[in-house]
Amino acid sequence: VPASPTSSHFMSSAPTTVTGDPELDPPGQPAASTGIPALPPATAEQHQAVLAAETFLRAFARPSPTADVRLWWAHVGSLMTPHARLDYEGIDPARIPYTQLTGPGLIQPQPHEADSHLQTTVRIPTDAGDYLVVLQHPQAGWLVTRVIGPRS
């Protein structure tokens, strides 16, 4: 069962949903929106983070029913931190509600968190609503730590 600790738009320590399916998602309530608008990437580092988030979310989208789930997971998992791979292992890709991105990723500033070159959050619109992709920048480059789906 994947861990996806935060709301559709802002970070918190409470888990929320990725799929909207109570069998797949951990219990918890999404955090309230703070109204901080997402911004286009302003630095080369932010552009790299947005590209990594978009690449991940395209890979994570619900695959066709005939897709090989092992190959899907191998690609998705390669874009995540080791801890995130453990958290999301076993997710049923057929229950992921979106199939495509519908716009560019934007940097989502977080309240009470300093912008960091080691972690960032990117908001990306999909055909099932906006998703947040939280990334860390270890030595290997930007890797996904969490995926936060839209409020159900």
Side-chain angles (χ1 to χ4, degrees), residues 40-53 107 114-122 135-138 141-143:
T43 66
E45 190 171 77
Q46 288 179 341
H47 281 283
Q48 291 171 351
V50 167
L51 178 61
I107 300 296
D115 288 331
S116 170
H117 65 282
L118 298 177
Q119 180 172 319
T120 196
T121 302
V122 177
L135 304 113
Q136 285 184 347
H137 193 283
W142 290 107
L143 295 173

Side-chain angles (χ1 to χ4, degrees), residues 57-65 67 72 92-100 127-128:
L57 222 53
R58 278 188 193 95
F60 191 69
R62 184 176 65 237
S64 74
W72 172 84
D92 180 354
R95 291 187 167 173
I96 294 172
Y98 75 95
T99 59
Q100 63 184 348
D127 57 359

Side-chain angles (χ1 to χ4, degrees), residues 9-10 33-39 107-113 123:
H9 293 289
F10 302 94
S33 170
T34 64
I36 298 174
L39 305 168
I107 300 296
Q108 181 65 64
Q110 298 300 310
H112 311 296
E113 292 183 33
R123 181 171 38 163

Side-chain angles (χ1 to χ4, degrees), residues 13-34:
S13 59
T16 189
T17 65
V18 169
T19 65
D21 185 327
E23 291 180 26
L24 293 177
D25 295 315
Q29 296 298 317
S33 170
T34 64

Side-chain angles (χ1 to χ4, degrees), residues 75-88:
H75 181 59
V76 168
S78 72
L79 302 171
M80 304 176 94
T81 63
H83 188 273
R85 281 193 298 270
L86 291 173
D87 287 345
Y88 287 83

